DNA sequence: TTCGTACGTTGTATATTGTACAAAGTACGT
DNA sequence: ACGTACTTTGTACAATATACAACGTACGAA
């Protein structure tokens, strides 16, 4: 048996905190984890997360594809690093005003982030890994809920609930945008194509309420779905829902 | 120029409503769209959506891979068909009781569906294509909001908001399950591996609230995240949020 | 100063994906 | 009876993540 070296594959958490042991042997590294992550974010912002392939990213960095695996154990870890980097640098508007204003600000900061980086809304899990960015974000956002008489567990519940709403709203908005782009069809074209079939098949006798309400919603929003309206409406509802917990 | 036949690639909407023109020429079809969709659902239920590849599905059906393209124009359309089929067959508990009870029932029916078919929660868009299943579902669910004094647009807003919450809750729950399975790590093992680093890096002076609240939440749920609790908590908040719209 | 070895870099290779294309075969309508 | 529309299928291709091994570099010990 050959005494092969134990490959010290860095753990995601170590990587997030940049707690990988420094090595001195061997050639100098031509890149840093931060550079790789920054390039990946730039690429995802410009062309979407599906453009962030190992080959393409390496090309962008002027290296051979496999080189990246020196910096990042795999693609999943790279995405986590991208997210944490976003969280690290995102806006943290200082908390002020009523609890409702403070939470609305938290929601808007998040919505703005996810709208600016649509790939992040799709990639972000409900519980992101505990990197420095996520921790700073969590710390900041909890401030909006401090001193309201909630238990610690309720603070976490409330924040998780609010953030899940925002992520979903942003994700749906991004998806709505993407569909419009991908299909390359305007709403008018869509109706020209599909209207006849729908008219035949959407029997008002069978779906009376659906036809009535669907039509009203479509006309009101001037589209099948209006993400910005959904966010505004949903944010009010979400804050109202939290008020019964907070103003108990 | 050869007079090639215009390939009558069926539109998704035509396919959803099974409104594809019947052909008589040529060999008899060995399958039906319904059989393909049913097999795909069974496969996704058993092994996840990532197991539903064209090759695997064809094998399951005893056909060559490319045969499936006779029935379905591509994989995206197949997934839409799978979803609509699920919606068609899902539980529709009759509406009764207060508006709150009715909406809670709608939410639970949806949550049950998505928990039984985790791939569907991940694949379902905010606005599913207008297939027969989706229409029947929409019609049914709107009943819970009928007669409450809401405008048609508000009915749609409210339902969309409620369903987005449920989808997200189910998606997060499925992801939480998947992570546990994929990592193959129990919570204890995770802490053994990552505890030391976290202890060093999660400075209570830098993240006082985060450390305090995070620890409390973790202990209360006996895990980093408790999806079922999040659903119960969130459903109450969501209904409270809608109450300010409905009981105005 | 020399040299072994740990480690960065990279070319090659593999398994898997969706699906385009064309050949082959089938059965209906004329 | 026969042409042709349509099903079925084999082959092929581009793209993916990443395993593996060869190669070269430069530090640390001698």
């Amino acid at each position: 048996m050959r005494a092969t070296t134990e490959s010290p594959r860095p753990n995601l958490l170590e990587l997030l905190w940049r707690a990988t042991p420094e090595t001195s042997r061997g050639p100098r590294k031509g890149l840093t984890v931060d550079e790789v992550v920054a390039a990946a974010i730039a690429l995802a912002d410009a062309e979407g997360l599906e453009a962030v392939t190992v080959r393409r990213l390496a090309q962008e960095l002027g290296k051979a594809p496999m080189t990246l695996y020196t910096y990042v154990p795999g693609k999943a870890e790279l995405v986590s690093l991208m997210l944490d980097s976003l969280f690290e640098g995102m806006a943290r508007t200082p908390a002020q005003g009523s609890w409702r204003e403070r939470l609305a600000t938290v929601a808007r900061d998040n919505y703005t982030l996810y709208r600016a980086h649509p790939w992040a809304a799709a990639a972000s899990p409900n519980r992101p890994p505990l990197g420095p960015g996520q921790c700073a974000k969590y710390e900041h956002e909890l401030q909006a809920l401090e001193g309201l008489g909630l238990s610690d567990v309720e603070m976490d519940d409330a924040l998780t609930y609010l953030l899940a709403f925002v992520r979903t709203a942003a994700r749906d908005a991004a998806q709505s945008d993407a569909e419009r782009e991908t299909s390359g069809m305007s709403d008018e074209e869509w109706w020209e194509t599909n209207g006849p079939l729908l008219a035949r098949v959407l029997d008002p006798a069978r779906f009376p309420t659906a036809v009535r309400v669907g039509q009203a919603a479509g006309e009101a929003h001037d589209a099948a779905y209006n993400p910005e309206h959904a966010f505004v409406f949903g944010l009010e509802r979400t804050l109202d829902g939290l008020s019964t917990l907070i103003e108990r």
Side-chain angles (χ1 to χ4, degrees), chain A residues 166-234:
Chain A
V166 175
R167 231 183 313 114
T168 299
R171 201 181 299 202
D172 290 347
Q175 192 176 266
S176 176
D177 291 350
E179 267 164 30
R180 235 185 287 286
E181 282 177 27
T182 309
S183 81
M185 257 189 186
S186 70
D187 272 22
E188 287 168 14
E189 287 168 325
W190 191 91
W191 275 104
E192 275 177 31
T193 308
N194 296 310
L197 174 61
L198 278 183
R200 182 155 50 86
V201 105
L202 270 186
D203 182 6
R206 201 171 144 208
F207 307 114
T209 324
V211 170
R212 190 192 82 217
V213 172
Q215 187 170 358
E219 284 172 8
H221 300 148
D222 234 15
Y225 183 66
N226 184 329
E228 306 308 326
H229 168 78
F231 175 67
V232 171
F233 175 90

